[in-house]
Every structure is written in C-alpha cells, then in structure tokens.
Amino acid sequence: MRRTSLVIVLAALVASASAATPAAAVVVDGIAAVVNGDIITLLELERAGRAVLDPRLQAAAPAGQERRDALLPVLDQLVLERLQAQRARQLGIQVSEQEVDAAIADTREGNRLTDEMLDRLLQERGMTREDYRREMRGQVLLQKLVRQEIGARTTVSDAEIEAYFAEHAGEWRRPEKIRMRHLLVPLPAEATPAEVEEARAKAAALRTRAADGADFADLVRAETPGAEPGVDPVSGEIARGELFPALEEAAFGLPVGGISEPVRGPAGFHLVQVAERTAAREPSLAEMRDGIEQKILDRKVRERFGAWLKQLRDSALVEIRY
C-alpha cells in the first residue's frame, strides 16, 4: 500500500471587478448565528458577502428580502467553516506563521498578484492585510483538518492504481516533440509578386549559406530584430499541431541539425533547423504511479468530504438568528 501527501489547492481571491464596488449598506453589528456557543456576527456576514454579492445587492438596505436571501448561503458557509475550526481546536491542530506566509505566497503566485493588486482586492472586500492573514490562517487550518480527518484515513491500493493506468492508457502517450531554431524573412500583408520573389530569393540564399557551413544560429540572430547576442535562439519543445501545416511537415521531416527549404507562410518565408528531437513514447506504470495515486486520493477525499461535513453539521448546536 502506498500513499502520497494529500494536496488541497488554496482558494484564490475573488477576481476584482472592472469598477469600484459600491459601498455596502451600514450595518449595526449583531448576531447572525450561534454555533456550539460561538457567535458569528452580522459584520462577519457582511464582510463575507462582499466577495459574492451582486453590487446592486451590496448597496441595498440590510433588511431587503432579496439581499437577505442572497446572504443566507453565505451564512451557511460561515457556519460550516466555524464548525471545522472548532473541530480543529478539539484535535489540537495549529498553524504556524511560516505556513500562513507560504499559503499567501502560493496564492499570490498562482494568481499573479502584485502588492498593488492585492491591496486593491482587499480594499474592495473591506479587508486589511491583517484580516487577510486571518482568513488565510483559517484556510490552512481547514486544509490540515481535512488531511487529518479524511486524508489520513484514505488509502489507495496497487490494484486501483493499475486499473486506473489501464483504463486511461491512451492518455499517457507522450507525442514526438522537437526544439528548433527559426528564421523568418518577412513579407508585408499585401506583398507584390516582386516582393514575394525577393523574399524567396533571400531565404534561399540564407539556406545556402547555412549549407555551406555558416552557423544557423548566427544567421537567425542577424535576421531577427531584438535577438540577444550570444544567446542560442532555440525554441522550447514543440509538438505536432502547434505549427501551421506546411511548416510542421517541413520541421518534423528533418533530422537533428537539418535545415528546411524555404516554407511560405502568412508572415513570409520560414527556415527552420531542428536542434533536438524527443521521440514519441508510452510512459510506464512506474513513471505514472505517484501522479495516478494522487488523482485517486484527491477524488476519494472529495467524495468523502461532503458526508464528513454533514456529520459535523448534524451533531452541532446551530441557531440562525439572521
């Protein structure tokens, strides 16, 4: 029996709207719900609602029925989060400052958030940086709780891994890929026949120079505006289907080091040299085992999470006062 660590992805900040959010209606604080003796205040509910409510409802009167109906699911989610936090305290689960820092860094990196973007998002949600740290601390706490309560009790057998590998066999094939150097002799959008012939002749001459021993990388750098001196202009890996058909046929038909004949395309005439080729292959079960195990484990945890949460809710004393 094998196990990998359970991966639970952090929830991202809600994407900002293109315009500033209207100010929410002023709310006098009070009690929205009582969860096993813990209070969820109206202000907590209002703050959570800013992330999900339509701007029109955010600006509506606090007592409006439509607004109240929209906030009830938000309150239900706060109740569930409070129940999980209580359970985590019972189990003695704690979150370090380093874990909070890592969670914030992962969220910012995953959403490509600058300091300015993060501050704007927090402002739109009526939150401070300290509020945000508390929110992220709560998320990490809940993730650790799920790992302990469900993940630690969930296993994946060798038979399940082997069955999954066989069932998805066609998905594992890794296609042939190449890395190449690319030179373009450009043409204007409405090129005349004379301009076309001139570009064709230039591309053919450049290919002849390469065939006679000139370094193709030097030719690419010389003909490419903005190319960095001394830097090999080789591409990343390219699979079939990523180039236009004529260029793909030429590139994938070359041996490593081979240089194509000029290929006419929408932008002009192309020359390519294959720098590296990776053959198509079928990975083994041993190579895929860890990834498959994690997929099955994540699926099992998701399936069991709802039942576990319902059990937690059913055994709690919850009074909704909103």
Side-chain angles (χ1 to χ4, degrees), residues 129 149 175 192 254 258 285 290 295 311:
R129 286 287 186 116
E149 289 278 85
T192 65
L254 292 169
L285 173 60
D290 287 348
K295 283 179 179 290
Q311 183 180 16

Side-chain angles (χ1 to χ4, degrees), residues 91-113:
L91 296 173
I93 299 174
Q94 297 182 346
V95 177
S96 69
E97 293 301 319
Q98 291 76 13
E99 289 173 311
V100 177
D101 291 339
I104 292 174
D106 286 347
T107 300
R108 291 185 58 176
E109 181 179 346
N111 292 276
R112 298 179 180 179
L113 293 173

Side-chain angles (χ1 to χ4, degrees), residues 130-245:
E130 190 55 40
D131 292 332
Y132 180 50
R133 285 191 68 84
R134 279 196 296 270
E135 181 176 287
M136 295 305 290
R137 180 183 297 278
Q139 288 185 15
V140 175
L141 182 71
L142 298 186
Q143 291 160 18
K144 294 178 76 171
L145 172 65
V146 171
R147 279 197 292 267
Q148 183 165 324
E149 289 278 85
I150 306 175
R153 303 174 187 176
T154 304
T155 59
V156 179
S157 68
D158 286 341
E160 288 176 300
I161 295 173
E162 291 162 7
Y164 189 99
F165 181 78
E167 182 180 349
H168 297 82
E171 300 175 13
W172 310 130
R173 187 174 189 276
R174 295 178 179 172
E176 176 186 15
K177 293 184 178 181
I178 60 172
R179 300 179 70 206
M180 68 182 196
R181 300 179 183 93
H182 171 248
L183 188 155
L184 173 66
V185 178
L187 277 171
E190 302 294 335
T192 65
E195 289 173 323
V196 172
E197 186 53 40
E198 182 181 354
R200 187 194 307 276
K202 180 177 180 180
L206 288 167
R207 186 187 185 284
T208 298
R209 288 176 59 191
D212 289 343
D215 188 326
F216 191 74
D218 287 341
L219 296 177
V220 173
R221 283 191 290 265
E223 297 294 328
T224 304
E228 297 184 50
V231 176
D232 189 353
V234 67
S235 71
E237 286 192 319
I238 298 171
R240 288 187 181 273
E242 297 180 12
L243 303 172
F244 67 86

Side-chain angles (χ1 to χ4, degrees), residues 11-66:
L13 281 169
V14 175
S16 61
S18 58
T21 302
V26 176
V27 177
V28 177
D29 203 7
I31 298 175
V34 182
V35 183
N36 289 330
D38 281 357
I39 292 173
I40 297 175
T41 69
L42 290 174
L43 286 179
E44 289 179 86
L45 177 58
E46 287 295 320
R47 187 175 65 188
R50 291 191 193 111
V52 295
L53 285 189
D54 182 280
R56 179 177 57 82
L57 290 177
Q58 288 190 31
Q65 186 61 42
E66 187 179 4

